[in-house]
Amino acid sequence: MTTYTKEQIKQLLKIYFIMGSNNSTSDPEFILEEALKGGISVFQFREKGDGALMGEDKIQLAMRMQELCKQYHVPFIVNDDIELALSVNADGVHIGQDDENAIKVRKMLGNKLLGVSAHSIEEIQAALDAGADYIGIGPIYPTSTKKDAKAVQGTSLVEIVREKNFSIPIVGIGGITVENARPVIQAGADGVAVISEISMAENPYKQTIELRKAVFDQA
C-alpha cells in the first residue's frame, strides 16, 4: 500500500522514536536532533496528554520536527492526527484501537505509511485487512508514559504472530530500554519503539547509540 517495500519498513522500525513536547524536560527539538544523530530509523510525533500543545503551536512544532527528520532522511510519522499528517505531508500515520477506523484512514492516506497498535490476533488481522503497513504490539513491559496503556503482555503476542507466519512488520512498544530490548527482537519483532528511554535520557545521543547496539546485536 506504500512506496516502501516490506523489507524497507522492517528496517525503518528498528529504532522507532516517539515524542511530543511533554515527554521531556528538555527542548524537544534538541532531543530529536540528538536522537537523529544517534541513529533513530523513524520518528513519530505524538503530541498528546497533559501539557500537550494545541492548535497552531502544535502544527508549528510538528513542522520544525519534520524538517529535522528530513535533514537526516528519517521518515516523519504523526500519531492519530490524520488532519495534521495530511496538512504537513507527513510520511505516515500511526493509530490505536480507540482512534479513527483503519480502513477509513487508509483511504485518506493513499500510499503513506499506516501503522496500527494491536493487542490480539483478531486486532492484527483486522489491521492487515485494512491495509496497515506495520503493527505496534505492546505494552511489552510496564510503562508510565501512557496513562491509558493496556495490560502488560510481555513478548507473547509477538511470538504468536511469528508462529502463525504473519509477515507484517512488527515494532514492540512499552517500557523498552537498552537493558531489555534484546528479548523483544529475539521474540520476532523487527524493532523497538521508545519514548522516555531517549526523551528523558541524560544524553539522548549516547542512549540512542546504545539502543541501536542492543537491537542490531540481535538482528
Side-chain angles (χ1 to χ4, degrees), residues 135-178:
I135 298 293
I137 291 181
I140 305 291
Y141 304 115
T143 176
S144 59
T145 305
K146 286 187 69 175
K147 304 301 182 187
D148 58 347
K150 307 284 185 180
V152 173
Q153 56 183 309
T155 59
S156 57
L157 184 56
V158 176
E159 293 163 3
I160 291 168
V161 171
R162 290 314 184 208
E163 286 169 6
K164 291 182 176 292
N165 292 319
F166 281 76
S167 61
I168 192 163
I170 293 172
V171 61
I173 186 170
I176 295 173
T177 66
V178 169

Side-chain angles (χ1 to χ4, degrees), residues 30-52:
F30 168 77
I31 297 289
L32 175 57
E33 184 153 25
E34 291 298 288
L36 287 162
K37 289 176 182 176
I40 61 169
S41 47
V42 66
F43 174 67
Q44 182 191 129
F45 179 67
R46 183 180 183 273
E47 192 67 17
K48 296 176 80 170
D50 296 340

Side-chain angles (χ1 to χ4, degrees), residues 82-114:
I82 294 90
E83 184 179 337
L84 173 63
L86 292 174
S87 70
V88 302
N89 194 27
D91 296 295
V93 168
H94 187 91
I95 58 172
Q97 292 297 315
D98 299 325
D99 297 329
E100 192 69 76
N101 176 272
I103 295 174
K104 182 180 177 182
V105 174
R106 169 48 77 200
K107 289 178 180 176
M108 294 169 70
L109 289 181
N111 65 355
K112 294 181 184 294
L113 284 166
L114 173 59

Side-chain angles (χ1 to χ4, degrees), residues 10 12 22 25 30 78 87 108 127 136 162 173-174 198 212:
K10 288 180 178 181
L12 292 180
N22 56 345
T25 54
F30 168 77
V78 172
S87 70
M108 294 169 70
R162 290 314 184 208
I173 186 170
I198 292 176
R212 281 183 62 87

Side-chain angles (χ1 to χ4, degrees), residues 67-79:
E67 185 56 36
L68 282 171
C69 289
K70 285 180 179 178
Q71 291 175 26
Y72 289 85
H73 308 290
V74 167
F76 178 82
I77 306 292
V78 172
N79 178 279

